[in-house]
């Protein structure tokens, strides 16, 4: 299904949400291609993504939650490899998934020792 997004309005809404909440937002099409990304990078995530292993783990984490969202056609949340929470929501029109919204990462209640264990590969 061809969906025409009003990208200017979409960018404005997503930018405002990102600015007000400090949470990252991504809008993806049905094939997981990014249409718009609004990010507030943290030093924590930047340090992880400065390594090729870290970037690959982030990509795998995003792909995993998107595949789960696609299969269930419902909101999905999980804790990523680094101990942060991500969420994905399908955008459904006429009973077809036409895109996704990803939010995160958000802090969890993991202790510093638990985070260190998750990042022992670094």
């Amino acid at each position: 299904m061809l969906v025409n997004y009003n990208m200017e309005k979409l960018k404005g809404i997503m930018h405002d949400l990102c600015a007000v909440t400090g949470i990252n937002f991504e809008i993806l099409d049905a094939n997981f291609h990014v249409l718009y990304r609004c990010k507030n990078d943290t030093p924590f995530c930047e340090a992880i993504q400065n390594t090729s292993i870290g970037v690959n783990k982030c990509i795998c984490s995003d792909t995993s939650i998107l595949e789960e969202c696609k299969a269930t056609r419902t909101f999905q949340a999980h804790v990523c490899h680094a101990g942060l929470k991500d969420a994905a929501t399908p955008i459904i029109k006429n009973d077809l998934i036409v895109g996704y919204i990803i939010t995160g990462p958000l802090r969890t209640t993991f202790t510093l020792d638990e985070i260190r264990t998750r990042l022992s590969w670094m």
Side-chain angles (χ1 to χ4, degrees):
M1 166 182 258
L2 181 63
V3 176
N4 292 320
Y5 292 95
N6 183 326
M7 290 306 292
E8 291 309 309
K9 282 187 180 179
L10 185 60
K11 287 178 183 178
I13 291 168
M14 299 311 288
H15 176 77
D16 289 348
L17 277 172
C18 191
V20 169
T21 65
I23 299 171
N24 297 340
F25 289 90
E26 290 184 353
I27 302 287
L28 297 91
D29 68 14
N31 297 312
F32 306 155
H33 298 121
V34 175
L35 298 174
Y36 183 70
R37 175 180 290 141
C38 182
K39 294 184 84 166
N40 291 312
D41 286 330
T42 64
F44 182 80
C45 288
E46 284 178 356
I48 291 169
Q49 293 180 357
N50 277 335
T51 69
S52 59
I53 294 172
V55 169
N56 287 335
K57 287 182 176 285
C58 290
I59 291 169
C60 287
S61 180
D62 286 351
T63 301
S64 171
I65 197 169
L66 286 166
E67 290 291 351
E68 192 173 342
C69 188
K70 180 179 180 178
T72 62
R73 299 173 54 88
T74 61
F75 168 86
Q76 296 295 316
H78 76 171
V79 175
C80 76
H81 63 282
L84 298 172
K85 184 158 269 202
D86 291 318
T89 304
I91 302 168
I92 300 174
K93 183 175 182 174
N94 297 329
D95 204 38
L96 295 172
I97 295 177
V98 295
Y100 301 88
I101 299 172
I102 295 181
T103 59
L106 300 170
R107 288 181 58 185
T108 58
T109 58
F110 286 120
T111 66
L112 189 54
D113 286 338
E114 290 170 313
I115 298 295
R116 278 190 190 110
T117 300
R118 286 177 165 270
L119 297 176
S120 61
W121 54 269
M122 280 184 79

